[in-house]
PDB file of all heavy atoms in Angstrom:
ATOM      1  N   PRO A  40      29.821  -3.033  -5.242  1.00 95.00           N
ATOM      2  CA  PRO A  40      30.189  -3.698  -6.502  1.00 95.00           C
ATOM      3  C   PRO A  40      29.946  -5.203  -6.388  1.00 95.00           C
ATOM      4  O   PRO A  40      30.116  -5.791  -5.304  1.00 95.00           O
ATOM      5  CB  PRO A  40      31.683  -3.383  -6.643  1.00 95.00           C
ATOM      6  CG  PRO A  40      31.933  -2.225  -5.742  1.00 95.00           C
ATOM      7  CD  PRO A  40      30.960  -2.350  -4.617  1.00 95.00           C
ATOM      8  N   GLN A 240       8.848 -12.576  -2.635  1.00 82.00           N
ATOM      9  CA  GLN A 240      10.210 -12.892  -2.191  1.00 82.00           C
ATOM     10  C   GLN A 240      10.252 -13.903  -1.053  1.00 82.00           C
ATOM     11  O   GLN A 240      11.291 -14.467  -0.764  1.00 82.00           O
ATOM     12  CB  GLN A 240      10.919 -11.605  -1.745  1.00 82.00           C
ATOM     13  CG  GLN A 240      10.991 -10.532  -2.820  1.00 82.00           C
ATOM     14  CD  GLN A 240      11.788 -10.965  -4.027  1.00 82.00           C
ATOM     15  OE1 GLN A 240      12.818 -11.606  -3.895  1.00 82.00           O
ATOM     16  NE2 GLN A 240      11.304 -10.621  -5.213  1.00 82.00           N
ATOM     17  N   ASN A 319     -13.435   0.252  -9.600  1.00 95.00           N
ATOM     18  CA  ASN A 319     -14.002   1.556  -9.971  1.00 95.00           C
ATOM     19  C   ASN A 319     -14.426   2.376  -8.756  1.00 95.00           C
ATOM     20  O   ASN A 319     -15.508   2.979  -8.731  1.00 95.00           O
ATOM     21  CB  ASN A 319     -15.179   1.368 -10.937  1.00 95.00           C
ATOM     22  CG  ASN A 319     -14.724   0.893 -12.303  1.00 95.00           C
ATOM     23  OD1 ASN A 319     -13.613   1.188 -12.739  1.00 95.00           O
ATOM     24  ND2 ASN A 319     -15.569   0.147 -12.982  1.00 95.00           N
ATOM     25  N   GLY A 355      -9.396   1.016   7.065  1.00 98.00           N
ATOM     26  CA  GLY A 355     -10.409   1.816   7.738  1.00 98.00           C
ATOM     27  C   GLY A 355     -11.243   0.987   8.701  1.00 98.00           C
ATOM     28  O   GLY A 355     -11.547   1.428   9.815  1.00 98.00           O
ATOM     29  N   ILE A 376      -7.601  -9.808  14.889  1.00 96.00           N
ATOM     30  CA  ILE A 376      -8.383  -9.438  13.705  1.00 96.00           C
ATOM     31  C   ILE A 376      -8.539 -10.630  12.769  1.00 96.00           C
ATOM     32  O   ILE A 376      -9.623 -10.882  12.224  1.00 96.00           O
ATOM     33  CB  ILE A 376      -7.726  -8.245  12.986  1.00 96.00           C
ATOM     34  CG1 ILE A 376      -7.849  -7.002  13.864  1.00 96.00           C
ATOM     35  CG2 ILE A 376      -8.366  -7.995  11.631  1.00 96.00           C
ATOM     36  CD1 ILE A 376      -6.950  -5.881  13.474  1.00 96.00           C
ATOM     37  N   TYR A 395     -10.791 -15.463  -2.186  1.00 97.00           N
ATOM     38  CA  TYR A 395     -11.460 -14.493  -1.302  1.00 97.00           C
ATOM     39  C   TYR A 395     -10.870 -14.445   0.108  1.00 97.00           C
ATOM     40  O   TYR A 395     -11.298 -13.618   0.906  1.00 97.00           O
ATOM     41  CB  TYR A 395     -12.945 -14.871  -1.173  1.00 97.00           C
ATOM     42  CG  TYR A 395     -13.759 -14.679  -2.414  1.00 97.00           C
ATOM     43  CD1 TYR A 395     -13.862 -15.669  -3.387  1.00 97.00           C
ATOM     44  CD2 TYR A 395     -14.485 -13.498  -2.625  1.00 97.00           C
ATOM     45  CE1 TYR A 395     -14.648 -15.501  -4.517  1.00 97.00           C
ATOM     46  CE2 TYR A 395     -15.266 -13.317  -3.757  1.00 97.00           C
ATOM     47  CZ  TYR A 395     -15.351 -14.321  -4.706  1.00 97.00           C
ATOM     48  OH  TYR A 395     -16.126 -14.145  -5.830  1.00 97.00           O
TER      49      TYR A 395
END
Side-chain angles (χ1 to χ4, degrees):
Q240 302 297 320
N319 290 331
I376 292 164
Y395 291 87

